[in-house]
Amino acid sequence: VFGLHGNCEITCAESESLALLEDVMAVRSVGGGGGGGGGGAGSQEDVVYALAGELIEQTPPLFDLDGFEKVFPTMYSESRNTVVKQEAAKYNRLLALLHTQLPLFRKAVKGLVVFTEDLENVGKGLYMNVVPDGWSNVGFLSLKPLSVWYKDLNGRI
């Protein structure tokens, strides 16, 4: 693209490069790695199945919102209590999604349930170490890779 401001050219080139790298990773994950080498990490299905199991173990339980109401009652003089309860409800939506999708994804890998588009996005995210769109839409804003994002989630909770 010609005639753009220097900063805009940098941004365009960077986004094109990232898109190209994502496509290369997607092709690599679909087509496998070719021959030889032996002793690798296993198939893509094995890798994402094991990773989903680890994430299930790391996922914290949902917040008890009734308990929050007792500890942080809604009062005019304590507006912070309202914010705490809103944040807990927001994280509960994310945690409920994780508690639902991760076990369902493992069942889909084993062939026990049908892969939906959401579950395919979870698998792609797990394999490529990116936060799936469904999770990032419900969760907090972050550009971190999935492994660091999950640690950050646990640190926030």
Side-chain angles (χ1 to χ4, degrees), residues 27-44:
V27 168
R28 180 177 161 254
S29 67
V30 170
S43 70
Q44 178 180 351

Side-chain angles (χ1 to χ4, degrees), residues 43-57:
S43 70
Q44 178 180 351
E45 290 82 16
D46 295 339
V47 170
V48 294
Y49 185 84
L51 184 56
E54 291 175 17
L55 293 181
I56 288 171
E57 293 173 4

Side-chain angles (χ1 to χ4, degrees), residues 14-154:
E14 188 176 278
S15 62
E16 288 175 1
S17 299
L18 289 174
L20 177 65
L21 289 173
E22 285 179 9
D23 291 342
V24 168
M25 288 294 294
V27 168
R28 180 177 161 254
S29 67
V30 170
S43 70
Q44 178 180 351
E45 290 82 16
D46 295 339
V47 170
V48 294
Y49 185 84
L51 184 56
E54 291 175 17
L55 293 181
I56 288 171
E57 293 173 4
Q58 294 175 16
T59 305
L62 286 111
F63 288 115
D64 176 21
L65 296 181
D66 293 331
F68 267 75
E69 182 61 39
K70 292 175 185 171
V71 176
F72 303 106
T74 304
M75 298 183 318
Y76 181 76
S77 62
E78 286 292 332
S79 59
R80 182 177 32 184
N81 291 355
T82 303
V83 174
V84 168
K85 290 188 293 189
Q86 288 173 343
E87 287 295 308
K90 183 178 97 172
Y91 279 107
N92 266 3
R93 283 192 299 274
L94 175 60
L95 293 173
L97 183 65
L98 296 175
H99 282 289
T100 301
Q101 282 190 343
L102 287 171
L104 202 58
F105 174 76
R106 290 186 68 164
K107 289 179 182 177
V109 169
K110 291 295 184 185
L112 301 175
V113 296
V114 177
F115 260 106
T116 63
E117 185 176 345
D118 288 338
L119 294 179
E120 285 186 30
N121 287 336
V122 169
K124 179 182 173 187
L126 291 175
Y127 191 70
M128 296 177 63
N129 197 27
V130 295
V131 180
D133 289 337
W135 297 1
S136 61
N137 291 340
V138 175
F140 53 93
L141 296 175
S142 177
L143 296 175
K144 296 177 180 179
L146 179 62
S147 55
V148 179
W149 182 87
Y150 225 84
K151 289 178 185 174
D152 191 23
L153 169 67
N154 283 314

